[in-house]
Amino acid sequence: MNRDYYRVLGVGRNATPEEVKKAFRRLAFQHHPDRNRDEGAEGRFKEINEAYQVLSDPERRASYDRYGMVDVGGLYGRGFEGFDFGGLGDIFDAFFGGAARVRRGPRRGADVNVQFTISFEEAVFGCEREVEVRRVEPCARCRGTGCQPGTSPERCANCGGSGEVQRVERSIFGRFVNVVPCDRCGGEGKVVLQPCTGCSGRGRERRLCRLVVRIPPGVDDGFQVCLSAEGDSGLWGGPSGDLYVQLTMSPHPLFQRDGQDILYELPLNFAQAALGDRVEVPTLDGPMAVEIPAGTQNGDAFRLKGRGAPSPGGGRRGDQLARVRVVTPTSLDERQRELLRELKDSLGHSQASGGKKKRSILH
């Protein structure tokens, strides 16, 4: 059967071998039956392959150019079994990217996470604490070789020390060579004949170690400290992972945190609130004298500047807010009851429910 092979591939009669090959790759990829389910795709693919078999061979192409026909061995119409798949090795590269090669390289160790509890004061002012970490390290007995001391690994006879073996497969695409890790040495290229009794030949072991962690001032509950390269050791010369210390702040009996500010509830009796007083307010730096103005209301807050927590990145400290809680007495003697009755009668109903002032702020 005569056909115009140049037209089949969509190239001119002066097309170079590289142009013929490029056109074949493009068309074969487009019309391959495994990819193109349209009716007639298989016949079109056979036709494209037949054209390539002729135009990619210098002798066949010269005969075709001279006589307009060529004996292609009855390829057309005989299905895939008669194909010369030499050219399909190239199209296989287009489909699958060629043979897969597995290369062993340095691998970074895993990160390690630990939780650690610090006090309220340590979170505000910072501290240095020792933490226990269980991490993977090179075996102390074999120093990471995996071999019994006094011995050394030997080159793997299965892969010749390359760590890779070739696996040959055949398909409609032709002969496919896949490079995979050696199953005897696991891609190491070396085998351990006398494994270390300390690590069973793994070369690494999990050990408990103690590290000093510097906690910066101003951290809050949930803050995370990172210690670079203090995680699990790497493989094949790779770097170690990092250690992440997740901080939990224990509660304080008097104070609470609101970012950089510290909150404190200041209890006052209603005489102190009504008449005013001078009281000592506890802070993390020690007690501080505070003037309570007359007529202070429940919920008023006094700001003690610079008595809060600093930012973990540095800078000024926050403030402490002392919020007033007027405490109603629950146990009174007869004299106190009498005085309160007199006060109630003198204030009258309108005074007892007087309007609330704006909350007081100390600067």
Side-chain angles (χ1 to χ4, degrees):
M1 183 181 294
N2 296 335
R3 55 177 54 83
D4 189 342
Y5 291 133
Y6 291 101
R7 179 175 294 180
V8 170
L9 294 184
V11 297
R13 289 188 170 272
N14 295 326
T16 65
E18 185 60 34
E19 290 172 336
V20 170
K21 188 175 184 180
K22 184 177 180 181
F24 167 70
R25 284 182 174 179
R26 176 178 54 81
L27 293 172
F29 185 82
Q30 179 181 351
H31 295 284
H32 191 279
D34 288 345
R35 178 180 176 84
N36 191 332
R37 300 296 183 180
D38 294 342
E39 184 178 355
E42 182 176 345
R44 176 65 173 154
F45 181 75
K46 293 176 183 178
E47 188 179 42
I48 292 167
N49 187 71
E50 181 182 329
Y52 180 68
Q53 299 301 314
V54 173
L55 300 184
S56 64
D57 185 290
E59 293 184 4
R60 286 182 175 182
R61 182 174 180 178
S63 177
Y64 175 74
D65 289 342
R66 185 176 298 113
Y67 303 110
M69 58 184 300
V70 66
D71 180 13
V72 294
L75 289 178
Y76 188 77
R78 290 175 50 194
F80 288 107
E81 64 272 16
F83 276 31
D84 174 8
F85 280 97
L88 289 184
D90 295 324
I91 197 63
F92 184 87
D93 287 348
F95 287 147
F96 298 99
R101 300 189 64 85
V102 179
R103 295 294 188 189
R104 187 193 70 180
R107 184 181 300 173
R108 183 180 181 273
D111 294 333
V112 177
N113 294 274
V114 296
Q115 286 191 332
F116 195 68
T117 301
I118 57 175
S119 68
F120 192 95
E121 290 86 352
E122 288 173 328
V124 172
F125 296 115
C127 63
E128 287 189 355
R129 294 288 298 274
E130 187 177 76
V131 296
E132 289 187 344
V133 180
R134 192 171 294 276
R135 64 184 182 184
V136 175
E137 297 182 346
C139 174
R141 179 176 175 80
C142 68
R143 299 183 183 275
T145 65
C147 300
Q148 192 69 8
T151 67
S152 58
E154 295 188 7
R155 188 174 68 171
C156 176
N158 191 44
C159 63
S162 67
E164 300 173 340
V165 293
Q166 292 185 349
R167 181 178 297 160
V168 180
E169 299 177 357
R170 293 184 180 276
S171 71
I172 64 169
F173 298 105
R175 184 172 176 270
F176 173 48
V177 180
N178 188 24
V179 181
V180 297
C182 175
D183 55 3
R184 182 165 186 258
C185 65
E188 294 277 349
K190 298 178 291 185
V191 291
V192 176
L193 300 181
Q194 299 183 51
C196 169
T197 56
C199 63
S200 301
R202 291 186 294 270
R204 306 200 302 167
E205 60 182 348
R206 192 170 292 276
R207 291 206 301 266
L208 185 68
C209 63
R210 290 178 171 82
L211 300 172
V212 175
V213 180
R214 182 185 175 278
I215 299 170
V219 300
D220 207 342
D221 193 64
F223 189 88
Q224 190 169 255
V225 178
C226 176
L227 277 68
S228 180
E230 293 291 355
D232 288 348
S233 63
L235 288 170
W236 307 315
S240 296
D242 298 331
L243 171 64
Y244 291 93
V245 182
Q246 188 87 16
L247 299 177
T248 301
M249 185 177 66
S250 58
H252 194 279
L254 298 178
F255 306 116
Q256 291 182 336
R257 285 282 297 274
D258 182 15
Q260 290 180 249
D261 290 337
I262 293 177
L263 308 180
Y264 170 70
E265 191 176 75
L266 175 61
L268 297 176
N269 63 49
F270 52 75
Q272 290 174 301
L275 302 176
D277 200 0
R278 182 180 177 85
V279 298
E280 282 192 344
V281 176
T283 73
L284 292 178
D285 300 290
M288 180 177 180
V290 175
E291 292 289 341
I292 306 297
T296 294
Q297 302 294 310
N298 186 65
D300 284 352
F302 302 95
R303 183 179 296 273
L304 283 57
K305 289 201 169 182
R307 298 302 176 101
S311 169
R316 63 175 292 277
R317 290 175 62 177
D319 303 328
Q320 177 172 318
L321 297 178
R323 191 173 299 278
V324 171
R325 179 172 63 89
V326 177
V327 180
T328 302
T330 58
S331 178
L332 298 172
D333 59 26
E334 189 57 37
R335 174 59 178 162
Q336 290 170 333
R337 292 175 189 275
E338 181 181 346
L339 292 173
L340 286 176
R341 290 191 195 99
E342 294 179 4
L343 177 61
K344 183 181 72 170
D345 293 339
S346 66
L347 290 175
H349 293 293
S350 60
Q351 289 287 341
S353 57
K356 184 177 179 180
K357 296 167 53 180
K358 289 185 179 180
R359 69 180 186 177
S360 303
I361 301 294
L362 285 187
H363 297 285

